[in-house]
Structure formats: C-alpha cells, structure tokens
Amino acid sequence: MARRPLPRILTSGTASLVRSRELARTAADSATDVLHPLITITRGLRRLAVAGRRKWSDTPKDRRGPLLFLVASVVLVVALIPYGPILAVVTLMAAAAWQGRDRTPVPTGPDEAHVERLRSLYEALVPYFSVAEDPSPLYAHGGEWEKAFGSYDFDDGNRITRLVLRYPAYFTDGEADARARIEHLLHAKSGRGREYHFGWDEEGNQLTVTVLDPLPTDIAAQRFVTSPGETVLGFTDGTSVQRTLPVRDAADGQRDVPPVVWRTGIRSTEPHLLAVGQPGSGTTSLLRSIAVQALLHGDVVIVEGSGTGEYACLVGRDGVLAVECGLAGALATLEWAANETERRLIAANRARQAGHPTPEDSKRPLWILLDRPSALGHLAAADGVGDPQSLLQVPLRHGRAAAVTVVVAEQFDGLDALADPVRRHTRARVALGPATPAQLAEVLGAEPRTTPTPDVPPGRGYARLGSGPVHRLQVPATPDPYDDATSEAQRRAVLEVLPERSTATEPEPVVAEG
C-alpha cells in the first residue's frame, strides 16, 4: 500500500507557522504594554464593584434605605457643583488605578541557599568569637545568625560579595594573629579565588568583608598627568586613594583610574624607594617605568647588577647619564653619584649663605636606580673590593636636600644582602609577586588588609609609602622593547614615551663585564 504524502501545510509551511506565531506573540506583548493602564483601571473597577456588592450584602435590610438615600444625595450634590462630574470620574479612575495595581509581593531577605551559607559561616565563627564565661553569647552553636550579621550581599553564583558582622567586645582584635585567623576562615568559607578586603572597626566591634575587583592589567607605559616630583608607581582601588588619573588602555580607550603616587623632593617624607619581588614579578619593569617618568624633569643613572641588559633601551637617551652593568662601571658611577651629592650640598649651602638662589645644576633632580645590588656585592667580594652599596650612604642620607633620589630593586632571596643604610632610608616600599604574609610584613612593615590574589600577573603586588596604609598595586606594563617576547603594542607604547637619543647610532644591548 503506497504511503500518502503529508499535507503541504505540514511540510513547506512550518517556517511560516513559526514566523506567524512569533509575530502574534510580539503583537500580543506590545498590545499588553500599550493597554496596561486600561487593564489596570478595568481590574480596579472590578475590584471596587466586588467590594461594593460585598458591602451591600453585609448591610442589614433595615439600613439599606438610608444607605441608598445617602448615596443618592452624594450623587446629586456632585452633579450640581461646578466640574463635579468630571472630578468624580477622575477620582473614580484614580481609585480604580490604585485598586488595580499589581500587588505581587516583592521577595525580600535571603533565599534558602543564602540562609544556608550564612548559617554555615556563623557556625564556623563560633569557636573564635565565644567563650564559656559569656552569659549571653553573640555566637553560639544553633544561635541566631541574624543578630551577628548586620548586612550582606550575594552575587549571581550565591557567593558573598559583602558582609558586615559584629563580634564580641572581648575579642582581641588588636592582635595581628587573632585577626589573621578570622580573615583566613572568612576567605575559605566565602569562596576562594577572589581577593577580599577586611575592614576592622575596633571601636564599633564590626568587621566589613568586601570582595575586590581585579586591578587593571591593560595599562601600558604612557605620559601620566602628574606634577614635577610626582611618580606613578601603579594603580590601586578607588576606595584607597582620593585621586584619579586619565589613562589610555590597550583598546585605545580612555578612562580614569586611581593611582598610587609617590612624591619626591625636598619636602618628601619618603625620598627613597625599595622594591622587592620574585624573579619575573615586575621589579625591573617598575624601575623602567620610574626611569621614563623621571626623565621628564631630571637625570637618571642606572646600575644593573644582573647584567642581562634590561635597560638597553635607555642607553644614549637624553637625560640618561649612565647605564652600567659591570662591577667596575657600577663602582665608578656610584662613586660619582656620591661626589655629586656632596657637591650639590656644598653649592646649595654656599648659595644660602650668600643670599643667592640655589644653582640650577644643583636643583635638577638626579635619580639613582640600582637593580639587584646583591649580585654586585657578590662580585665585589670575589674581587676583594668594597660593596657598591656602601657608596649609597651619602645619597641616601642627604639625597633629599640635594634633589637626589635612590631607587633600589632586589629579590626576596637577596634581602639579607641589603646594607643597613638601604633598609633604613628607603621608607617607600613596594612588594611584587607571590609572597607570604611574613615576607610582606618584613618588606612593608605591615601586613595588607587584603587576601593574596589567586593569579599574580607581572607587576602585581602591594605598596606602602612611609607609615601610610598598604595599597594593592598594579604596575603599568613597561617591558623591554628589545625583548622578542614583548608584544608590538607594548613595544610601541614604551618607545613612544622614551626621550630622543643624544647619539645618532643605535647602541648595542649592554652586557656585563668580565
């Protein structure tokens, strides 16, 4: 028996049916939006009619006559007064619109998943925020977590993004170890893989936990809008500083970001800087960024202890007095820097005694950038000569008065080799790359109030200027433009901010001596 073909409408007309249904659904939705006020008023009139019928049914029969007389009197009075019918219709429509509004209750408060997460976090905090002698503990197993958690916010993945919790007054919030235990617990229970900021209010016995947004990594070297004596170390959170700078990102877009600005000069309280990090963490990129900014208003001397030619792009540039990688050149350059500091001090002192302004050659800022001094110290010990760091004592001690700034970069494993003057006079500190809380406390003098980032990009770390707070830091990308691993966009960005060359030929990359 031959199979009969399907009707044409079921074979060729399927697409037309689908389009027709979509058009009909769109038309219905549009009509609903347009007629929404009319639908609301109609629903309100129906509710008013139902309420009137119920009122009439509940009224006893002996009172229905007076009620009808009262209604008729009101209608008569409204009809006789000027604009009465119009006002009555307007009032009726307003009452109908009010009665016909959507009364679907808006869900408030946390849902079951949020409640379960908050209850679990509350139970985990009980051993840390309770003692047996407390007659009315705020934290107790099976207690009310609503009393302890003042406010909370969740993201789409049901993870906490902000939490304000109260803790007992007897908790030792002044001890770093006690705070660290609470921060570690909240970090683990609230979800790893994110950075948290912990704001301790010791006076109010409150702790605010906030999830931090990632710092921007798409900002390359460029001309920053700063004043003379200001150096942009990197960028941080908007809640940490009260200033923003316009920057250009990798997509050639412009936006305002909060910077960490280091101020140098005669009135600076942190005239010198120490940057510490792991290999590949971005300390050399930070020194290149500082050198590029310093060349706008001053002269730069660079001493590289690693001898890998990371500063070859600065050789021969206007304002770059020397780029040395070998031990002999480093000793000669640092000795000249010490003598130059003394000369500036003597010239400024003589000018003040004579009542004259400071000479211009003594006012122009001089920057001494020293990368990996521990490597030079090992070479000096092998050759039987003095440690080059000893020549930094004069610039470090008297550099602020002589407009001389010293920047030292070292790795964590070479901290023990740093000389005492370097440790004592570098009050501006930067720690880059992965580091333990003990290492951060050793370098910065205080532990950050944030958890470490799960993924540490180059140039990511913390900065502290003097005795100020610890800031999260992302250094602007300033790679070596001669490195084959540098992208074309970053290479162009670095070459654009470099000053012109004072020599006509392109120098070869600097190599170590010996």
Side-chain angles (χ1 to χ4, degrees):
M1 181 177 179
R3 178 176 297 177
R4 297 178 60 184
L6 291 173
R8 183 177 180 84
I9 190 173
L10 297 179
T11 56
S12 62
T14 303
S16 300
L17 285 175
V18 173
R19 287 195 297 270
S20 300
R21 290 171 183 171
E22 292 179 353
L23 290 175
R25 188 178 297 107
T26 303
D29 294 339
S30 300
T32 301
D33 295 337
V34 172
L35 300 176
H36 180 71
L38 181 59
I39 294 173
T40 301
I41 293 176
T42 303
R43 184 167 57 241
L45 290 174
R46 186 174 64 252
R47 291 177 180 176
L48 289 175
V50 171
R53 188 182 304 110
R54 186 182 303 111
K55 181 66 176 178
W56 178 261
S57 300
D58 296 341
T59 303
K61 293 182 178 182
D62 57 343
R63 295 183 181 180
R64 291 180 179 180
L67 181 60
L68 285 175
F69 178 77
L70 177 61
V71 173
S73 302
V74 173
V75 172
L76 179 61
V77 171
V78 171
L80 292 178
I81 63 175
Y83 305 103
I86 298 177
L87 294 176
V89 172
V90 172
T91 303
L92 179 61
M93 293 299 102
W98 178 258
Q99 290 293 330
R101 70 188 189 280
D102 189 7
R103 300 182 180 183
T104 303
V106 179
T108 58
D111 55 19
E112 295 182 1
H114 298 168
V115 170
E116 185 62 28
R117 184 175 288 272
L118 292 172
R119 184 181 294 112
S120 174
L121 184 60
Y122 174 83
E123 293 291 337
L125 291 171
V126 169
Y128 300 92
F129 285 151
S130 63
V131 294
E133 296 81 7
D134 191 350
S136 179
L138 180 61
Y139 289 82
H141 292 293
E144 300 179 3
W145 59 267
E146 296 88 348
K147 296 181 179 179
F149 298 157
S151 61
Y152 38 82
D153 295 321
F154 291 84
D155 58 10
D156 296 336
N158 292 331
R159 297 199 301 175
I160 295 175
T161 58
R162 185 177 182 275
L163 175 66
V164 179
L165 61 89
R166 298 170 52 221
Y167 56 87
Y170 52 76
F171 175 72
T172 56
D173 52 5
E175 299 179 2
D177 295 338
R179 292 197 307 265
R181 287 193 295 268
I182 300 300
E183 293 173 0
H184 179 74
L185 173 65
L186 293 174
H187 181 204
K189 292 295 183 180
S190 300
R192 297 185 181 274
R194 301 181 296 175
E195 289 185 82
Y196 294 86
H197 177 267
F198 300 97
W200 290 88
D201 182 9
E202 292 88 350
E203 185 177 359
N205 298 323
Q206 283 189 351
L207 171 61
T208 303
V209 185
T210 309
V211 176
L212 298 174
D213 296 329
L215 294 179
T217 57
D218 57 345
I219 301 176
Q222 55 193 277
R223 301 292 186 190
F224 299 114
V225 183
T226 56
S227 301
E230 292 184 342
T231 303
V232 176
L233 299 180
F235 305 97
T236 184
D237 304 299
T239 58
S240 301
V241 295
Q242 299 179 354
R243 177 180 178 181
T244 59
L245 288 180
V247 297
R248 187 179 66 255
D249 54 24
D252 291 335
Q254 186 169 344
R255 66 180 190 269
D256 294 339
V257 292
V260 177
V261 178
W262 173 39
R263 294 174 176 84
T264 57
I266 298 178
R267 295 176 177 84
S268 174
T269 57
E270 302 87 23
H272 310 295
L273 182 139
L274 172 64
V276 184
Q278 300 289 355
S281 60
T283 54
T284 301
S285 182
L286 172 62
L287 259 64
R288 269 193 296 265
S289 176
I290 293 175
V292 169
Q293 299 179 64
L295 288 172
L296 291 176
H297 307 285
D299 299 325
V300 174
V301 171
I302 301 173
V303 176
E304 181 187 359
S306 58
T308 56
E310 294 287 345
Y311 303 91
C313 61
L314 294 169
V315 175
R317 302 282 179 178
D318 291 339
V320 180
L321 303 182
V323 178
E324 296 293 341
C325 292
L327 177 60
L331 290 172
T333 300
L334 294 179
E335 184 178 1
W336 172 87
N339 295 332
E340 174 66 12
T341 304
E342 294 176 350
R343 185 198 68 80
R344 291 183 174 215
L345 290 174
I346 295 173
N349 185 34
R350 289 177 177 176
R352 283 194 296 268
Q353 290 180 357
H356 300 302
T358 304
E360 291 296 330
D361 61 347
S362 300
K363 292 172 57 178
R364 183 173 173 82
L366 174 63
W367 293 72
I368 303 173
L369 308 183
L370 178 58
D371 195 354
R372 295 293 309 279
S374 61
L376 292 175
H378 292 312
L379 293 177
D383 290 350
V385 297
D387 192 345
Q389 295 185 67
S390 61
L391 299 173
L392 291 175
Q393 185 171 359
V394 174
L396 285 171
R397 182 169 297 177
H398 306 287
R400 180 172 59 179
V404 177
T405 302
V406 179
V407 181
V408 179
E410 187 54 80
Q411 297 181 1
F412 279 105
D413 55 4
L415 279 178
D416 296 338
L418 289 179
D420 184 67
V422 176
R423 290 175 172 271
R424 188 169 60 251
H425 294 286
T426 52
R427 289 176 45 81
R429 299 294 181 90
V430 173
L432 300 179
T436 63
Q439 289 176 325
L440 294 176
E442 181 183 3
V443 175
L444 303 175
E447 294 186 10
R449 291 291 181 92
T450 61
T451 56
T453 177
D455 300 321
V456 184
R460 178 67 171 82
Y462 300 93
R464 190 186 187 202
L465 303 179
S467 58
V470 179
H471 301 284
R472 289 200 308 165
L473 182 70
Q474 178 62 51
V475 177
T478 315
D480 183 8
Y482 297 159
D483 191 353
D484 295 336
T486 304
S487 64
E488 184 61 28
Q490 292 183 348
R491 179 182 291 106
R492 282 200 313 270
V494 175
L495 292 177
E496 286 177 0
V497 297
L498 289 176
E500 297 293 333
R501 291 191 179 276
S502 56
T503 57
T505 59
E506 183 82 5
E508 296 294 332
V510 182
V511 295
E513 297 180 359

